[in-house]
Amino acid sequence: MNQLAAEYLRRKQEEAGHRIDPAQFQQELQKTKAYIALHNVYGVDLNSTAVELAEISLWLDTMVTGLSAPWFGLRLRRGNSLIGARRAVYSRSSVKDKTWLKAAPEKVNADSRDPQSIFQFLLPAEGWGAAADSKEGKNLAPEAVANLKDWRKSVRTKLSDTKTNGQIGRLIGLSKQADVLWEVAVKRLSIAEAESRRTIGVWGFEEGATGTTVTRSEIESKLADPNGAYQRLHRVMDAWCAMWFWPLTETEIAPPSVEEWIDACEQLLGRPTNESKSAKTARESGQASMFDVDNWAELNEFEDNQRVLSGAASTVEMVFEHHPWLRVTEAIADQQGFFHWDLTFATVFERGGFDLQLGNPPWVRPRGDVEALLAEGDPWWQLAHRPTEEKKKERRSTTIALPGVAKLVLDGATDVVCTAAFTADLTTYPLVAGTQPDLYRSFMEQVWQHASPNGISGLIHPESHFTDDKAGPLRREAYFHLLRHWQFVNEIVLFDISGHIIYGVHIYGNRKDEVDFLTAASLYHPMTVEGSLVHNGDGPEPGLKNEYGEWELKPHAGRILRVDRRVLRTWGEIFGIDDARSIDDVKMVYAINGATARVLEKIAERDSLRGLSPQFSRGWDESIDRKNGRFKLGWGRAEDWGDSILQGPHIYGMNPFFKFPNSTLKNQMDWSAVDLEQLPGNSTPVTGYKPIRDGNYDQLYTHWVLSSGERVQARDYYRVAWRKMAANNGERTLIPAIIPPRAGHIEGVRSFGLPELNACSLLLHAGSLSSLLVDFVVRTSPKNNIVPSTVERLPAIGAEHVLAPSVVARVLLLNSLTDAYADLWNSCTEVKANGESWTGGYGFPESVSMEVLDSDWTERSPLRLTADRRQAQVEIDALVALMFDVTADELCSIYRTQFPVLYKYDTQRDHYDQNGRLVPAEVVKTWQKLGNAATDDELSATNAQGFTYTYAPPFATFDREADMRTAYAEFEERLAEREKLSSQETGGSES
């Protein structure tokens, strides 16, 4: 409001050609703000206290000399802005054939409505009685659920269309009568707004006349009159919404049949009168027509006469006596605060809609938390530490038996179910239907509907719809509405929420013919956008953090990217989409600057893993399958790999033995790192879950079907496993490792195999997935979870590439830590030491030589030294970049700009000693303080597994960027040599 007022005065002064006296400017600004606040500001909040505070805030911010206490009651309202009825209709044919139950209605106004159409809020809805789908309802009130389902089924039946009892005809008549009442309501609100106007004296603006004949109390009284047109229409809309929320705890009054519903609507609204008869009656009684009514008193008289002529009940109480179920809907509506935008703000939509909408919608998914509800009666549900399913089941019965708890749980759980049903139904929010309900998404759809033809909307909300597989329709519309898109990460805590929360500022206009908007990603402060929009483009493009490890706020023209159809096509190539229609709803790719966008274009040209037909495994569901008795909580080392159930912390960066759970099993952080140097060659993992061997464990785990039709167990194969949870802002995001046959895992780990390809193919693509560049591709379209659809669209390395064996060799060295990998090692006979060596002259006294590749697997074959493992991964990163035609400069730019945590660890945290071991932080600190005076004891540390090492100074960090450049240059030379040799061999064979 402040900005609008200031902008108005700026433009008006330019238009007028002269300036406001500086001494008077603040006064003129206050008057302009006051005018806007009184006549143009609208708002809705479910919390009535919030509405009152908004009124006070507006008053305090717009106080101006001569203005008495303002009234915002017509425009600031209490209500649930997402749940309400609309001025939308179904055709007579869709009602006749019942397709209206599963179709979106058509939005109309008074002039565009087909007279044979029927308003949505007059028809039964598929979502009525949504509480019947509540899981808690089935447990706590099975009879009530059965009754509600029976009723729901009865109101979904085909409506009659006969002359004697034509329900469809009566509903068409009701729609005509609703039009009449709507016009009365619009006229009532128009007069109310005109009569409540204030003359402010805005500079350079000719204001409308101030009302003089109707008082505020008269306006409030008439709009609240239960027998007036506005409230009768409002009551029917409330009742329609309330039917979605009919409670399972209501056992005395039954919901209405279709016939009772129509009868109640007719009593509340009346029936349409014969037009000629109505005109004659009006003429004979000296009454004006609706279009001639222009004052409050005439409207009162017209409204009373219309109610009588239509045959509506003279008082609402009479309708309640005939239909007691309306009292239930009244109570539901009062509690839920249904808000009917098209009616309550009818004058706005008569003018075409809102010109400017601003909002920060709820970042909430309507999900039930039954344990929180149970905790209202018994705190044990919040205090108990990881109770077993048996203990929960036992305690639940006791808690539910406490006074009032069953009703509390039932009402609380079903309320969430009903809200979710309404906000994601095809008939109410068609663009959100089919996705997991998320209230901000429903707000997006609603805001677009409420905008005027030239309206602009600005919303701050999450961005999951840009990467959600099921949110295609909403994403498509977002692209066509977007004008500006600024994605923020809350790292500097602009909002009092977690620093890892991602959200966006979205500026929407009306739907355009073509996608065309500006975007910037990974922002931390608005000033970055402001500066970038006017930056000249000089200097290097910044990344996520600056050279001091601080979140990068520096502006640069390269931060602002334009998204059009060409960019959508590139995104489509990254996701393996080539269909023109599908490109319109392709998932968003977040490029932080122009350089990253160019790298993405290169990677988009690569074939994807999907072309290899990978077979995926979800593993065990940690909750459901545990409840179903597939496994149980139990700490200890697995007797063999067949008894292992791996969790996310078990794997990290080509290391299937990264961490083991501690025996205390306190939480997901209660794990300790594994010392690979001391890991026995026949070791199996320590796990926190144990199989229940009842004959079903092996049979019910993932099976795959081969091209031959043979059904095989996934656990019979080596697989690439990765952590499902995406650490989008962590050291790495995609975290894979190879797991051996017989190993199982929970769904917090996902895996895939290539059962019809050789072992080297699996190793090659594991290496690709472990690389910095492929990880970067995952980061550019962040999601909470990395699912198979994400992995299969990632770029793949061609097996025929002459550098492919070099990738395979390093992956084999990194993963083959125990004899469970001996078969994998020994089967890759084409991987030889010839032509393989560490780049840059790398090596420590105990480093593993590439010569081990020529022998069968032994305990000394794999890379166990931390520095060796780091070097192998650096070389994989360089190899993959070279094979993807990404330059060393581009690779290093991606490293610096996209992986700030890894960069920080490389440059500040991770120090290595002269033997290639990673030095504990406390030892580094001691050495930095004491230098050569440090004793062996002071340079020693015992790790979590009880092994003690004395670290050899001096300690140093490694330069990953320099190492990648060195590796890249050497592999370029090897590539040229191998291609030359291959060409000579090919030429020789041809001759």
Side-chain angles (χ1 to χ4, degrees):
M1 184 179 66
N2 295 344
Q3 292 169 305
L4 285 173
E7 184 64 15
Y8 164 78
L9 290 178
R10 184 188 69 80
R11 295 189 181 193
K12 199 65 180 178
Q13 289 177 96
E14 288 182 359
E15 180 185 307
H18 64 274
R19 314 294 294 176
I20 300 170
D21 184 342
Q24 296 296 317
F25 184 83
Q26 192 58 41
Q27 176 73 359
E28 296 300 340
L29 181 63
Q30 277 300 105
K31 289 195 291 185
T32 307
K33 286 162 54 179
Y35 183 89
I36 294 172
L38 278 168
H39 304 109
N40 299 90
V41 173
Y42 293 77
V44 183
D45 198 290
L46 183 58
N47 188 326
S48 57
T49 302
V51 177
E52 293 173 2
L53 290 173
E55 292 178 343
I56 294 170
S57 178
L58 279 176
W59 185 10
L60 293 175
D61 197 37
T62 58
M63 280 184 174
V64 64
T65 303
L67 178 65
S68 57
W71 178 45
F72 302 104
L74 287 176
R75 298 178 179 85
L76 299 185
R77 308 297 290 266
R78 182 253 174 182
N80 185 332
S81 57
L82 283 182
I83 302 180
R86 297 166 183 160
R87 198 169 194 178
V89 299
Y90 291 103
S91 66
R92 179 172 189 149
S93 61
S94 66
V95 174
K96 191 170 183 177
D97 63 15
K98 263 184 71 176
T99 55
W100 98 85
L101 288 168
K102 297 182 183 294
E106 177 190 0
K107 194 81 183 290
V108 296
N109 55 39
D111 298 326
S112 65
R113 191 180 80 81
D114 178 352
Q116 289 295 302
S117 63
I118 300 172
F119 280 115
Q120 180 187 32
F121 61 81
L122 295 173
L123 285 162
E126 180 87 2
W128 279 10
D133 298 323
S134 166
K135 179 181 177 182
E136 291 303 315
K138 296 172 185 176
N139 294 332
L140 298 175
E143 185 177 350
V145 167
N147 292 336
L148 193 58
K149 284 185 175 180
D150 289 341
W151 169 78
R152 188 168 65 178
K153 184 178 180 180
S154 72
V155 296
R156 292 175 178 174
T157 56
K158 197 170 184 178
L159 300 177
S160 64
D161 194 22
T162 63
K163 290 184 178 180
T164 56
N165 183 27
Q167 291 174 330
I168 293 178
R170 290 164 68 191
L171 288 167
I172 290 173
L174 274 169
S175 297
K176 293 177 180 178
Q177 180 61 13
D179 273 337
V180 175
L181 298 188
W182 209 298
E183 289 304 313
V184 174
V186 171
K187 181 69 74 171
R188 174 81 62 196
L189 291 167
S190 298
I191 296 174
E193 288 184 358
E195 290 291 331
S196 61
R197 297 183 70 86
R198 304 282 184 87
T199 299
I200 308 295
V202 177
W203 191 85
F205 179 68
E206 186 177 340
E207 300 178 45
T210 301
T212 58
T213 61
V214 185
T215 66
R216 168 181 169 179
S217 61
E218 287 178 300
I219 293 173
E220 290 178 325
S221 175
K222 200 60 185 176
L223 288 177
D225 179 9
N227 301 310
Y230 177 83
Q231 283 296 336
R232 285 173 179 260
L233 201 54
H234 198 283
R235 182 164 277 106
V236 170
M237 293 178 165
D238 276 349
W240 183 82
C241 294
M243 289 303 170
W244 292 71
F245 287 78
W246 192 272
L248 293 173
T249 51
E250 177 53 63
T251 57
E252 296 182 4
I253 300 175
S257 65
V258 173
E259 187 62 32
E260 289 170 336
W261 168 260
I262 296 175
D263 182 69
C265 290
E266 288 176 333
Q267 290 191 41
L268 286 169
L269 305 180
R271 300 186 181 192
T273 57
N274 182 281
E275 189 173 353
S276 59
K277 181 179 178 182
S278 174
K280 179 180 178 182
T281 303
R283 186 173 59 257
E284 290 175 348
S285 60
Q287 301 296 319
S289 72
M290 183 65 216
F291 300 102
D292 296 326
V293 173
D294 61 2
N295 65 62
W296 198 258
E298 289 178 354
L299 185 60
N300 291 342
E301 189 174 357
F302 181 91
E303 185 179 55
D304 290 340
N305 287 330
Q306 211 289 325
R307 184 175 64 248
V308 173
L309 290 171
S310 68
S314 57
T315 66
V316 171
E317 282 298 322
M318 294 176 61
V319 188
F320 285 174
E321 290 177 9
H322 286 92
H323 297 284
W325 54 268
L326 279 171
R327 297 192 186 279
V328 179
T329 61
E330 289 283 298
I332 296 171
D334 183 64
Q335 178 188 14
Q336 297 293 333
F338 304 130
F339 192 79
H340 317 299
W341 286 84
D342 292 345
L343 176 64
T344 307
F345 293 151
T347 56
V348 174
F349 295 106
E350 286 290 304
R351 298 190 293 266
F354 291 99
D355 297 316
L356 176 63
Q357 299 178 86
L358 300 173
N360 179 9
W363 303 5
V364 176
R365 286 181 172 176
R367 290 176 172 173
D369 188 347
V370 175
E371 292 191 2
L373 293 170
L374 290 169
E376 293 288 327
D378 182 357
W380 178 89
W381 290 93
Q382 294 291 341
L383 301 176
H385 172 63
R386 299 189 72 182
T388 63
E389 293 303 317
E390 293 78 6
K391 186 63 178 176
K392 285 184 180 181
K393 186 175 181 180
E394 177 187 338
R395 192 81 180 198
R396 177 186 168 92
S397 300
T398 305
T399 306
I400 289 291
L402 296 173
V405 173
K407 185 178 186 304
L408 175 70
V409 171
L410 191 58
D411 285 341
T414 55
D415 184 66
V416 172
V417 169
C418 297
T419 298
F422 192 99
T423 55
D425 191 83
L426 181 62
T427 64
T428 51
Y429 291 95
L431 295 178
V432 181
T435 68
Q436 193 171 48
D438 204 325
L439 299 188
Y440 89 85
R441 298 183 180 187
S442 303
F443 264 97
M444 290 170 59
E445 184 171 355
Q446 186 177 75
V447 162
W448 299 335
Q449 291 178 350
H450 290 172
S452 68
N454 295 312
I456 298 293
S457 307
L459 297 181
I460 300 177
H461 58 66
E463 305 214 331
S464 62
H465 62 288
F466 282 135
T467 54
D468 185 347
D469 292 335
K470 297 181 179 180
L474 182 68
R475 184 163 53 245
R476 179 190 303 115
E477 289 304 305
Y479 288 156
F480 279 96
H481 281 88
L482 270 172
L483 301 174
R484 301 287 186 270
H485 165 243
W486 315 129
Q487 184 220 36
F488 287 84
V489 185
N490 196 49
E491 291 289 357
I492 62 174
V493 195
L494 292 179
F495 288 94
D496 188 18
I497 51 177
S498 168
H500 299 306
I501 296 295
I502 295 173
Y503 60 92
V505 173
H506 308 80
I507 309 301
Y508 300 110
N510 270 300
R511 196 182 199 278
K512 305 183 295 293
D513 293 332
E514 292 290 339
V515 173
D516 187 7
F517 61 91
L518 298 182
T519 184
S522 297
L523 302 165
Y524 305 103
H525 197 282
M527 68 180 186
T528 306
V529 175
E530 295 175 347
S532 297
L533 287 168
V534 297
H535 191 267
N536 63 8
D538 290 344
E541 296 179 350
L544 298 174
K545 286 190 174 183
N546 60 25
E547 62 271 26
Y548 307 109
E550 302 165 333
W551 296 109
E552 183 62 88
L553 306 181
K554 184 166 48 180
H556 193 284
R559 295 300 306 272
I560 307 296
L561 305 176
R562 180 176 293 278
V563 176
D564 54 19
R565 192 158 187 80
R566 182 189 65 81
V567 174
L568 291 186
R569 196 173 294 113
T570 297
W571 294 356
E573 291 171 351
I574 290 173
F575 287 102
I577 298 171
D578 53 16
D579 177 65
R581 171 65 177 168
S582 298
I583 288 174
D584 289 341
D585 61 22
V586 65
K587 285 180 279 189
M588 181 172 281
V589 174
Y590 291 88
I592 190 174
N593 53 36
T596 58
R598 290 187 288 274
V599 171
L600 284 170
E601 289 180 0
K602 290 184 177 182
I603 294 176
E605 298 172 358
R606 314 300 304 184
D607 292 333
S608 71
L609 187 63
R610 184 184 293 115
L612 301 173
S613 301
Q615 299 259 26
F616 292 93
S617 174
R618 183 175 186 269
W620 295 119
D621 187 290
E622 194 167 9
S623 175
I624 296 173
D625 287 317
R626 184 181 167 195
K627 288 180 181 178
N628 291 340
R630 302 285 76 79
F631 59 90
K632 61 185 178 182
L633 193 68
W635 181 86
R637 188 176 298 278
E639 292 186 12
D640 57 42
W641 278 97
D643 284 339
S644 66
I645 301 177
L646 303 179
Q647 296 174 258
H650 277 109
I651 62 176
Y652 196 91
M654 294 285 96
N655 180 1
F657 288 89
F658 181 61
K659 287 185 178 181
F660 287 163
N662 297 324
S663 60
T664 45
L665 296 176
K666 293 178 181 178
N667 50 50
Q668 292 297 322
M669 303 299 292
D670 193 15
W671 292 64
S672 294
V674 176
D675 185 345
L676 296 183
E677 290 188 62
Q678 304 296 333
L679 185 72
N682 62 351
S683 184
T684 57
V686 175
T687 61
Y689 290 128
K690 301 301 177 188
I692 295 177
R693 296 295 185 181
D694 58 357
N696 291 317
Y697 184 85
D698 294 329
Q699 187 61 32
L700 295 178
Y701 199 83
T702 307
H703 281 65
W704 297 330
V705 177
L706 305 182
S707 58
S708 64
E710 181 185 2
R711 186 171 181 267
V712 298
Q713 287 198 32
R715 291 168 62 242
D716 286 345
Y717 295 86
Y718 288 99
R719 286 148 287 157
V720 177
W722 70 92
R723 293 185 185 180
K724 184 184 77 168
M725 183 175 291
N728 293 303
N729 298 313
E731 180 181 5
R732 297 295 292 263
T733 299
L734 179 59
I735 300 173
I738 294 176
I739 60 174
R742 303 198 68 207
H745 56 78
I746 61 166
E747 53 94 25
V749 172
R750 297 297 177 91
S751 64
F752 77 85
L754 300 171
E756 300 189 78
L757 297 178
N758 62 33
C760 284
S761 293
L762 185 73
L763 291 164
L764 176 64
H765 298 296
S768 175
L769 294 184
S770 76
S771 70
L772 207 64
L773 282 182
V774 173
D775 199 348
F776 157 64
V777 174
V778 175
R779 287 192 171 202
T780 57
S781 188
K783 298 181 69 172
N784 291 332
N785 295 313
I786 302 174
V787 294
S789 61
T790 299
V791 170
E792 68 177 356
R793 55 89 173 171
L794 294 174
I797 298 173
E800 70 286 351
H801 199 289
V802 296
L803 290 178
S806 297
V807 176
V808 172
R810 286 154 180 80
V811 173
L812 201 57
L813 288 162
L814 284 166
N815 285 272
S816 303
L817 293 167
T818 67
D819 57 7
Y821 295 84
D823 289 342
L824 180 66
W825 180 284
N826 298 336
S827 68
C828 292
T829 54
E830 62 267 44
V831 178
K832 301 292 184 182
N834 183 34
E836 295 296 341
S837 62
W838 298 118
T839 60
Y842 168 83
F844 286 92
E846 296 183 23
S847 290
V848 173
S849 167
M850 288 286 181
E851 293 179 0
V852 298
L853 294 170
D854 290 335
S855 305
D856 286 347
W857 184 91
T858 69
E859 279 192 20
R860 300 186 60 81
S861 300
L863 304 179
R864 301 185 184 277
L865 198 62
T866 310
D868 285 359
R869 298 184 62 81
R870 176 194 172 279
Q871 179 67 19
Q873 189 62 63
V874 164
E875 295 188 3
I876 289 173
D877 292 337
L879 282 163
V880 172
L882 185 57
M883 297 164 85
F884 283 172
D885 296 324
V886 173
T887 68
D889 285 341
E890 289 171 332
L891 173 62
C892 292
S893 175
I894 294 299
Y895 164 61
R896 288 194 310 271
T897 63
Q898 297 290 316
F899 293 88
V901 176
L902 178 61
Y903 181 85
K904 179 180 179 180
Y905 289 171
D906 284 339
T907 57
Q908 299 178 35
R909 187 194 70 172
D910 294 345
H911 287 69
Y912 295 82
D913 77 347
Q914 295 302 299
N915 293 316
R917 292 191 175 97
L918 186 64
V919 186
E922 63 272 17
V923 177
V924 172
K925 187 176 181 180
T926 298
W927 176 74
Q928 289 174 336
K929 180 180 179 181
L930 301 178
N932 294 334
T935 65
D936 284 352
D937 284 345
E938 289 169 326
L939 296 176
S940 298
T942 302
N943 60 33
Q945 292 185 287
F947 299 107
T948 301
Y949 293 94
T950 298
Y951 297 92
F955 308 146
T957 58
F958 290 164
D959 187 335
R960 186 179 295 269
E961 185 171 340
D963 291 343
M964 288 194 299
R965 289 183 183 278
T966 297
Y968 192 99
E970 288 198 27
F971 286 129
E972 265 192 314
E973 293 178 2
R974 296 182 195 181
L975 173 62
E977 291 172 1
R978 292 181 188 183
E979 287 180 337
K980 181 179 179 180
L981 179 61
S982 176
S983 176
Q984 291 173 347
E985 291 175 349
T986 302
S989 62
E990 288 178 352
S991 61

